[in-house]
């Protein structure tokens, strides 16, 4: 049985490791309250070091600030659909830096031509999908101030809010929430 990892989950797994989310405190993720002492049914990765936490914060702020182009939503939706049609799954890249995730993405056989055909480099793809996922999550459920969450690019917030159908189509293509009435 082939296991399909939804693109949003993969992007957010690369973007927000579980240990860092636990560090952010008891904010809600995926509709359930996650407190600092709550244990997940799956094995948790080792706690990141202070240096890893600082690098994670820098990466997330960089991704949150990354400017999405005006045509990002339909172009990324088409890209994700082409990747899925080719049977390519995203890398399982939890706890990797953005640079490591970009390198791992660039190394996926057959992915480069699809990205190029849609005007993306591996860097643009990873940063774009991460910026979209973070921005979408922060719009839908703003974290408490003590969470030290990244501040999304205001232009990205406007892009998503001004194009709700396109944002929804991308979420559906990524296998994220809101698939009701989807294709």
């Amino acid at each position: 049985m082939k296991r399909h990892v939804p693109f949003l989950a993969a992007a957010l797994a690369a973007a927000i490791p579980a240990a860092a989310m636990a560090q952010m405190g008891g904010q809600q993720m995926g509709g359930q309250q996650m407190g600092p002492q709550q244990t997940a049914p799956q094995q948790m990765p080792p706690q990141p070091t202070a240096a890893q936490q600082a690098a994670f914060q820098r990466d997330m702020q960089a991704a949150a600030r990354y400017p999405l182009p005006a045509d990002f939503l339909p172009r990324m939706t088409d890209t994700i659909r082409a990747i899925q049609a080719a049977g390519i799954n995203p890398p399982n890249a939890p706890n990797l830096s953005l640079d490591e995730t970009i390198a791992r993405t660039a190394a996926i056989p057959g992915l480069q031509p699809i990205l190029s055909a849609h005007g993306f480099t591996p860097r643009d793809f990873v940063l774009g999908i991460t910026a979209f996922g973070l921005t979408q999550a922060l719009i839908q459920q703003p974290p408490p101030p003590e969470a030290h969450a990244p501040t999304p690019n205001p232009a990205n917030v406007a892009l998503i809010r001004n194009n709700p159908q396109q944002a929804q189509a991308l979420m559906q293509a990524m296998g994220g929430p809101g698939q009701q009435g989807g294709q």
Side-chain angles (χ1 to χ4, degrees), residues 7-153:
F7 279 88
L8 179 60
L12 292 180
I16 305 175
M21 288 308 301
Q23 170 197 349
M24 287 180 165
Q27 72 182 30
Q28 287 191 352
M29 286 297 292
Q32 54 187 91
Q33 183 75 17
M34 292 291 288
Q37 277 100 33
Q38 183 177 348
T39 57
Q42 53 196 337
Q43 185 178 0
M44 294 290 290
Q47 284 288 3
T49 66
Q52 289 171 323
Q53 289 176 7
F56 166 77
Q57 290 294 335
R58 283 190 305 274
D59 279 354
M60 288 306 88
Q61 193 57 49
R65 282 192 312 259
Y66 182 78
L68 298 175
D71 67 342
F72 175 81
L73 296 170
R75 192 161 45 104
M76 182 59 80
T77 300
D78 291 345
T79 304
I80 296 295
R81 288 180 179 149
I83 291 168
Q84 291 168 339
I88 298 171
N89 284 316
N92 183 9
N95 297 323
L96 295 181
S97 70
L98 279 174
D99 287 339
E100 291 166 328
T101 303
I102 291 165
R104 190 171 282 187
T105 299
I108 296 173
L111 184 60
Q112 193 83 355
I114 294 170
L115 295 181
S116 293
H118 291 90
F120 289 109
T121 65
R123 180 182 183 279
D124 295 333
F125 177 76
V126 170
L127 282 170
I129 204 80
T130 304
F132 171 76
L134 281 172
T135 304
Q136 182 74 5
L138 292 168
I139 288 171
Q140 301 243 330
Q141 189 161 18
E146 66 271 11
H148 304 292
T151 303
N153 182 324

